[in-house]
Amino acid sequence: MSQVKIGILGGSGLYKMEALKDIEEIQIETPFGSPSDALIVGTLEGTRVAFLARHGRNHHLLPSELPFRANIYAMKSLGVEYLISASAVGSLQAEMKPLDMVIPDQFIDRTFGRMGTFFGDGIVAHVAFGDPVCLQLAKVLGDAVESLQLEGVTLHRGGTYVCMEGPAFSTKAESNLHRSWDASVIGMTNLPEAKLAREAEIAYATLALVTDYDCWHPDHDSVTVEMVIGNLQRNAVNAQKVILETVRRLSKNPPVSDAHSALKYAILTPKDQVSAAAKTRLEFLLQKYFTEE
Ligand SMILES: CSC[C@H]1O[C@H](OP(=O)(O)O)[C@H](O)[C@@H]1O
Ligand SMILES: Nc1ncnc2[nH]cnc12
């Protein structure tokens, strides 16, 4: 199959891309297990893209159960270089209203026990993560939203996404703690993806769709699943328009991204000391650096 350079991870309420044509469902097995579902490869206005519903198309996986490594590795194995995450988030700031769109540029990790690296087992690497999203891809995403002038949707460029473990939503004390950190939005999925995408040298950015005010706002009900899915569905058409416009822009003008060389100085273990097993396991990550002369 020809390389697919653009990937899309659909979150809660976004289980398929309506506009995809010439679809192929691909079951991919990775050294890190099976992805959340088959990857759907199809064409958006002439550009091949890969779509994956991160909780599965029937939403059967909890955030803590997501096979993050298999999902990112499967995208990498198809040749993905740009990965757009579409995610439902709660707002921690009054001005970020339900149905608004936020393009976060920072994360705070409040998860535990998630597997956030492909490395280990005989090969060590430490990637830079000061800027956890690809700022060039985030700009393309923001420009796409702006160009569409979506009614009733305010775009917020930048902001901090708190990634919590879940599955229960936050307590009011936690929500206020996150607000005291000046965080913008909260969700349960994006941080491990961003870390693994960085290790896989894939540019990653998030289109965060605000669905609720979590539980801190005195004038709004506390978040429920019904609220999240209801508001996400009200905004799903807009989200798909944004993704389509972003794909158009990326295929015309793919930005240079620092993420694409994230491993250049990150691997500490000398090449001749890395076991054959590790080289095979990480084939798609290392081939650029470890091809034999
Ligand atoms: C359905 S409410 C909580 C759920 O929604 C968000 O999912 P995603 O990031 O995949 O859109 C949040 O992270 C939780 O997983
Ligand atoms: N308030 C919230 N907390 C965590 N994840 C969410 N996803 C959507 N709304 C959320």
Side-chain angles (χ1 to χ4, degrees):
M1 191 202 312
S2 61
Q3 298 260 299
V4 181
K5 289 208 159 67
I6 302 174
I8 301 154
L9 285 166
S12 297
L14 255 187
Y15 306 111
K16 64 190 281 217
M17 279 292 300
E18 300 295 344
L20 271 191
K21 302 251 165 55
D22 306 320
I23 285 170
E24 261 179 278
E25 275 203 33
I26 310 185
Q27 301 281 356
I28 299 179
E29 268 312 303
T30 80
F32 304 96
S34 317
S36 303
D37 204 326
L39 275 79
I40 310 295
V41 175
T43 306
L44 277 181
E45 292 184 1
T47 303
R48 293 298 273 171
V49 304
F51 175 86
L52 175 63
R54 71 160 63 81
H55 300 277
R57 71 189 74 181
N58 297 314
H59 208 130
H60 68 288
L61 293 165
L62 284 170
S64 320
E65 293 174 328
L66 294 183
F68 290 106
R69 293 194 298 182
N71 289 352
I72 300 295
Y73 199 89
M75 289 283 179
K76 182 74 183 178
S77 70
L78 291 178
V80 166
E81 295 175 3
Y82 301 93
L83 187 54
I84 304 162
S85 156
S87 268
V89 294
S91 167
L92 299 169
Q93 300 297 333
E95 70 276 14
M96 296 181 177
K97 306 176 301 298
L99 304 190
D100 280 0
M101 296 184 181
V102 183
I103 303 185
D105 57 3
Q106 283 297 327
F107 288 105
I108 293 176
D109 195 356
R110 296 263 289 147
T111 67
F112 44 86
R114 299 220 186 155
M115 190 43 95
T117 182
F118 289 109
F119 290 92
D121 268 335
I123 176 163
V124 172
H126 301 276
V127 290
F129 204 51
D131 286 311
V133 305
C134 168
L135 298 175
Q136 293 77 21
L137 179 57
K139 180 170 186 317
V140 177
L141 203 45
D143 292 348
V145 178
E146 223 161 68
S147 73
L148 292 168
Q149 304 200 324
L150 302 166
E151 211 184 312
V153 175
T154 303
L155 166 68
H156 306 269
R157 289 185 194 248
T160 299
Y161 173 123
V162 176
C163 192
M164 62 177 289
E165 187 61 41
F169 292 113
S170 305
T171 65
K172 287 184 177 158
E174 287 166 336
S175 199
N176 283 317
L177 176 70
H178 300 146
R179 277 170 52 70
S180 78
W181 293 343
D182 208 26
S184 316
V185 294
I186 184 158
M188 304 179 188
T189 59
N190 277 218
L191 177 64
E193 282 172 4
K195 268 192 194 155
L196 292 162
R198 181 60 53 84
E199 287 189 351
E201 298 191 321
I202 298 174
Y204 178 95
T206 297
L207 175 67
L209 303 152
V210 178
T211 52
D212 54 84
Y213 274 115
D214 203 26
C215 57
W216 63 271
H217 202 303
D219 304 332
H220 290 266
D221 289 339
S222 292
V223 56
T224 60
V225 160
E226 196 184 4
M227 198 185 281
V228 171
I229 301 297
N231 276 336
L232 203 287
Q233 278 169 358
R234 282 173 64 198
N235 223 2
V237 173
N238 283 339
Q240 306 222 13
K241 281 187 194 158
V242 171
I243 293 168
L244 179 56
E245 180 59 25
T246 305
V247 170
R248 266 187 208 129
R249 286 166 183 252
L250 284 177
S251 48
K252 255 199 232 135
N253 242 332
V256 174
S257 169
D258 291 344
H260 293 153
S261 52
L263 288 180
K264 194 166 179 191
Y265 302 111
I267 303 170
L268 284 169
T269 317
K271 186 169 147 180
D272 59 3
Q273 297 300 310
V274 176
S275 67
K279 283 183 182 159
T280 306
R281 190 171 63 245
L282 298 181
E283 179 194 352
F284 287 102
L285 271 59
L286 301 180
Q287 58 195 1
K288 186 168 132 192
Y289 299 103
F290 278 23
T291 38
E292 302 304 331
E293 288 85 34

